[in-house]
Amino acid sequence: EDYYKCLCENVKDYSYDQFLNDYKLSIMEAMFYPIRLINSGICDFVMRDKTMKAFETFVLDKMG
């Protein structure tokens, strides 16, 4: 909420619901980067696990 408040000091007509939706989409999009690394032979499982945890705790918990 603090980040959204700071953001809205310069960004107009950006609802909190739209902000949350965009944030959820960015988390989901971020999941593909560690998968790409792993497929390229760079096994950064820590990054993968952190991204999956963010998805689980922020996206899935808010949906259910």
Side-chain angles (χ1 to χ4, degrees), residues 1-8 11 13-27 58:
E1 290 178 10
D2 291 335
Y3 177 70
Y4 175 73
K5 289 176 187 175
C6 289
L7 182 66
C8 286
V11 177
D13 299 321
Y14 191 45
S15 72
Y16 188 70
D17 287 338
Q18 183 62 50
F19 165 75
L20 286 179
N21 189 55
D22 290 345
Y23 193 77
K24 290 174 188 178
L25 289 172
S26 70
I27 290 172
F58 192 82

Side-chain angles (χ1 to χ4, degrees), residues 20-38:
L20 286 179
N21 189 55
D22 290 345
Y23 193 77
K24 290 174 188 178
L25 289 172
S26 70
I27 290 172
M28 291 174 16
E29 183 179 316
M31 292 178 69
F32 291 102
Y33 184 70
I35 292 169
R36 181 176 177 210
L37 288 177
I38 291 167

Side-chain angles (χ1 to χ4, degrees), residues 33-48:
Y33 184 70
I35 292 169
R36 181 176 177 210
L37 288 177
I38 291 167
N39 287 338
S40 299
I42 303 170
C43 298
D44 192 342
F45 297 114
V46 173
M47 181 188 291
R48 179 206 59 191

